[in-house]
Amino acid sequence: ALPSVTKYLLYISKTQALVDNNSATVLTDVGNVIKRQPGTLDYSSTYYWKVKVKDSNSTSLWSNTFAFQTKINPAIISDTNFISARIIRLRFNFDSARIKSMKIYRGYTPETLKLYDSLTQSFIYNDTLNYGKSIYYWITLINTDNVESEKSNIIRITTFGEPILISPSSNQKGINLKPSFSWTSDTLSTKKEIQITNDSSFVSFAFGFNSVINGNNFSVTDSMKILPNTNYYWRVRAGDKNGFGPWSASRIFQTYVEKPIFNSVKAGNKVDTLSWSLRGDSLRYKKTYIYRDTLPLPEKLIDSVNGAISKYIDNKNLEINKKYYYRIRVENIEGSFSDYSNIISAIPFNTKPI
């Protein structure tokens, strides 16, 4: 710079014609080194500029018009992405202005990332990985002038294998209404989803559970959510904040045959009417067996009813004014028996005519 120079005048614009025609923004008294504050220029943009000098005696001609391009703001890969089985989906955030394409870098460690793929501008990227693998990614952006941005943040994506179910075993019978479940899964996962249901399609969980937990064990504490004498199906999958791997193979188990809830015996004219309640899948009840005796612990089988019938009228050789004791138990379609119910007594009577 010459000692007599007092100021510089600068035209700058993203439109070359405005600079050429002296119609752009003019900056004065800028000195011979110009620093723009962050945010005053746009990322990934081409700017045109020219300058002239002026002192107290004269003003120079304008310089030629020059061009420069601002830095491309790097993309950001979302901290939470998406996985489903072997399919992963990365999500990106970036200013799409003048971005025409992007490069995908992939590797097994942050130090070994290599160019893996390229694609036109997109805010997502799908890839297919092997099960049980952790892969690292970063991306760069390419603008319309073929200038490549700096790399994005590095993200790790993990896929997960199928858990191996341990307990209950397949087709296990007689399971109580507070069962415990266990399985093994890969060490990369941070959460597991377990589904337990009497619906073989795993749609309804009205009598079951659909829970996300951290470990490889799950215990039922609410016995009212599990029905007796019912086939249940269960499965597990492993994952992390991004999603889950594939479901394990499903298993079936059968809850125990619950003893009937013996509600009442209504005495009548040489007739006793019994009623009871059964819980669980009504189609899985084969028979209810009726026991009667004049002793407090009835062991004489007098009759049975089929299916889930819950009422019985006893008129088999009853004597009036004599106490009879009853209890019942049920059998399911696989031939498993429940325990005996509670015992109820009744005394048949004969009402005298008025």
Side-chain angles (χ1 to χ4, degrees), residues 215-244:
N216 287 335
N217 298 276
F218 180 79
S219 294
V220 174
T221 57
D222 182 3
S223 62
M224 297 305 294
K225 291 279 287 181
I226 301 293
L227 296 172
N229 191 30
T230 300
N231 284 331
Y232 270 87
Y233 308 85
W234 71 289
R235 62 184 183 178
V236 179
R237 60 180 179 174
D240 62 10
K241 65 180 180 180
N242 294 310
F244 289 92

Side-chain angles (χ1 to χ4, degrees), residues 50-171:
K50 65 183 180 180
V51 67
K52 66 179 178 180
V53 294
K54 182 179 181 181
D55 63 14
S56 57
N57 299 315
S58 64
T59 301
S60 74
L61 297 175
W62 285 104
S63 69
N64 294 331
T65 300
F66 297 91
F68 67 90
Q69 185 178 111
T70 53
K71 177 182 176 181
I72 303 173
N73 204 17
I76 298 174
I77 305 178
S78 174
D79 183 56
T80 302
N81 294 278
F82 171 81
I83 62 171
S84 178
R86 295 174 57 208
I87 304 300
I88 68 102
R89 177 175 296 163
L90 301 178
R91 298 185 176 99
F92 313 129
N93 294 305
F94 58 89
D95 181 357
S96 61
R98 300 187 69 243
I99 301 299
K100 69 173 185 178
S101 62
M102 53 211 318
K103 293 181 180 180
I104 310 295
Y105 293 80
R106 193 180 90 165
Y108 289 107
T109 67
E111 297 76 26
T112 59
L113 274 76
K114 296 180 179 179
L115 180 60
Y116 172 71
D117 200 0
S118 60
L119 65 157
T120 56
Q121 182 197 115
S122 176
F123 291 100
I124 60 172
Y125 177 73
N126 295 326
D127 200 3
T128 302
L129 308 179
N130 293 327
Y131 287 127
K133 294 291 185 182
S134 287
I135 300 293
Y136 294 84
Y137 292 89
W138 80 46
I139 68 169
T140 58
L141 306 174
I142 312 298
N143 71 7
T144 52
D145 293 318
N146 294 318
V147 176
E148 186 172 359
S149 73
E150 294 181 359
K151 65 186 181 183
S152 69
N153 57 313
I154 297 177
I155 198 77
R156 187 182 80 165
I157 295 290
T158 302
T159 56
F160 307 97
E162 295 182 12
I164 299 174
L165 306 185
I166 298 176
S167 178
S169 60
S170 186
N171 294 310

